[in-house]
Structure formats: C-alpha cells, structure tokens
Amino acid sequence: MDLGAKVQKMLIPERFPMREEYEISTIYQPKLGVGGDYIDFKEFDDGKLVFCIGDFTGKGVSAALLMANFQANFHTLITKRSSLYDFVSDINKAVYKITNGERFVTFFVAEYDIETNELSYVNAGHPPPVLVHENGIKLLTEGTLVLGSIDELPTLEVGKLELPSQALILTYTDGLTDLQNIAGETYEEEILYRFMRRQHGRSAKAVNDALLRELNDFRQNNEFPDDLTVLTCR
C-alpha cells in the first residue's frame, strides 16, 4: 500500500492554477491512502485550459499503476492538440490496450478557451459535473461510455457551450454522493444541486471550503465511505 500511495502522490498535481481568467480548487482525500480517483490539468500558451477528473475501478497498487499509465497517456495525447473527440477516442484505446476490457475508468474532460469563453467537454460515464450560473444549474452529460471497456467507442458526443459570467463548474467522484449520515441517509445528488444553486459568484476555493463544512455537518461522526475527490473550476 505504501508503494501505491507514493506512486499516486506523484501523479496528482501539488498546485492548481489561480488566474484572473480562471481558478481551480480541489478536495482530494483517498480513503485508504491509495484510491482510484484522478484529477489533472494542462494549460496552453494560446489561452486554453484543459482539466479532468476520473475514477478507476479497483484500489491499491494496481489502481495506482493504471493511473500512472493513464496520466502519461493524458499528457502525451492532450499535447497533440487534436480535437476532444480524437483525444477521448485515443485515450480509450490506450486504456483498453492495457486492461483488455477488464478494468475501466469513468472520466470527464473539459477544455476552456479564454478568448471565446467557450467550454468543450466529454463525459465518459462519470457523475455529471454541475455548471452554476446566475439562473441556476446545468448538468454536463454529453459524451460517451466509460473508458477502457471496449476498444472502439460506439458513440461519442462533444458538448459545447458559451460560459455565462462568473460560471462555476464542480466535478466530483461518487465518494461524495455515497456519503451517509448516522440515519443511513446518503448525500444525494439533489442535496448537492441545492447546495450548488447557492454558490453563484463565489470563488472555487470558497465553494470547496463551504462544501467540506456541509459534508462534515451531514455525516456527523460517520467516516467517508470511499475516496472523496472534487475539482471545482471558476
């Protein structure tokens, strides 16, 4: 487990960007020191930002090694600057080549262009991220299947939208909505959505700080049942 934890620690960025144009804040709490959750980003000189979150099947060293391979492919393929469609198709093939369909990853990746204020994204079987704007929320659902289960994705859609002013995007893994209180009630998606509707205009860090307080109040003395990973982009 120590080896896996060391590998994983090297794979998760220590710092995330905070710019005038955008800000990323994260919550990353592996359940057993080594989890299956992955977050990453890549900035480009032309003003584009790519950020992602994923959840691998399995735990321990095997998950950490699969994550290490995935991270290498992520940075190699995203630097080619091909379309998100081609990027997701290629990284799916890379995961399948290693796992032969026996392991998979849910994955969400987005590219933000500060010049056009446009967001392009693909949701590959991941819990839908929440986009917060002045009129409410929108779930980012367009995409495809989980990655690595088959070598050729049968369908793949790239979602595109122009971001409204002061938009927030919260991405998370299912450790968040699996959380239970002492009565056995889970922190369901609708509770999260109600929380997020109140967050418009706040910084990404302020949102994550408030979310952690809410989760701690909700769970009381219960432990987190799984890895808790959140990536929030403002």
Side-chain angles (χ1 to χ4, degrees):
M1 190 66 73
D2 288 343
L3 173 61
K6 289 176 182 177
V7 170
Q8 191 175 51
K9 186 176 180 180
M10 292 187 294
L11 301 177
I12 303 300
E14 292 184 0
R15 296 182 180 181
F16 286 82
M18 183 179 294
R19 312 267 184 260
E20 181 179 348
E21 298 85 1
Y22 53 79
E23 168 204 0
I24 290 178
S25 177
T26 64
I27 302 169
Y28 187 71
Q29 297 179 185
K31 169 68 174 174
L32 298 174
V34 184
D37 292 356
Y38 173 71
I39 46 177
D40 212 338
F41 74 97
K42 179 71 176 177
E43 295 178 288
F44 294 98
D45 292 338
D46 61 0
K48 290 192 171 85
L49 165 72
V50 174
F51 59 94
C52 69
I53 186 168
D55 188 356
F56 292 83
T57 55
K59 306 290 181 187
V61 174
S62 62
L65 294 176
L66 179 57
M67 193 183 300
N69 183 276
F70 187 91
Q71 188 219 39
N73 279 302
F74 170 79
H75 285 277
T76 298
L77 294 171
I78 205 68
T79 305
K80 290 170 60 177
R81 307 307 304 276
S82 55
S83 67
L84 273 189
Y85 184 100
D86 290 339
F87 165 76
V88 172
S89 296
D90 289 345
I91 204 165
N92 173 70
K93 291 175 183 176
V95 176
Y96 182 82
K97 184 177 180 180
I98 295 168
T99 66
N100 199 32
E102 295 178 359
R103 305 284 285 276
F104 62 85
V105 55
T106 69
F107 185 61
F108 174 85
V109 60
E111 180 183 73
Y112 172 59
D113 187 335
I114 65 172
E115 296 296 328
T116 64
N117 210 34
E118 184 177 78
L119 185 84
S120 302
Y121 72 88
V122 173
N123 186 335
H126 199 76
V130 186
L131 167 64
V132 181
H133 52 84
E134 60 183 359
N135 296 320
I137 66 170
K138 175 181 173 60
L139 303 183
L140 304 183
T141 58
E142 293 184 60
T144 185
L145 306 176
V146 297
L147 304 185
S149 60
I150 52 177
D151 59 346
E152 293 282 350
L153 296 169
T155 60
L156 201 171
E157 294 182 83
V158 178
K160 292 189 177 183
L161 64 158
E162 185 174 339
L163 290 182
S165 175
Q166 296 186 322
L168 276 166
I169 299 172
L170 181 135
T171 70
Y172 62 96
T173 55
D174 57 12
L176 173 64
T177 49
D178 287 344
L179 181 65
Q180 293 186 349
N181 61 19
I182 57 175
E185 301 165 326
T186 57
Y187 190 82
E188 298 174 345
E189 286 86 352
E190 286 302 325
I191 303 175
L192 175 63
Y193 301 159
R194 287 199 299 270
F195 168 82
M196 290 304 298
R197 287 187 179 98
R198 305 192 297 269
Q199 305 309 311
H200 181 255
R202 306 187 75 180
S203 70
K205 184 178 186 306
V207 172
N208 284 356
D209 289 346
L211 179 60
L212 264 181
R213 290 193 297 270
E214 170 146 314
L215 294 177
N216 286 329
D217 288 343
F218 179 84
R219 70 185 177 94
Q220 298 174 305
N221 294 323
N222 271 10
E223 293 185 356
F224 287 98
D226 199 353
D227 310 327
L228 174 63
T229 303
V230 174
L231 183 152
T232 303
C233 186
R234 188 274 309 156

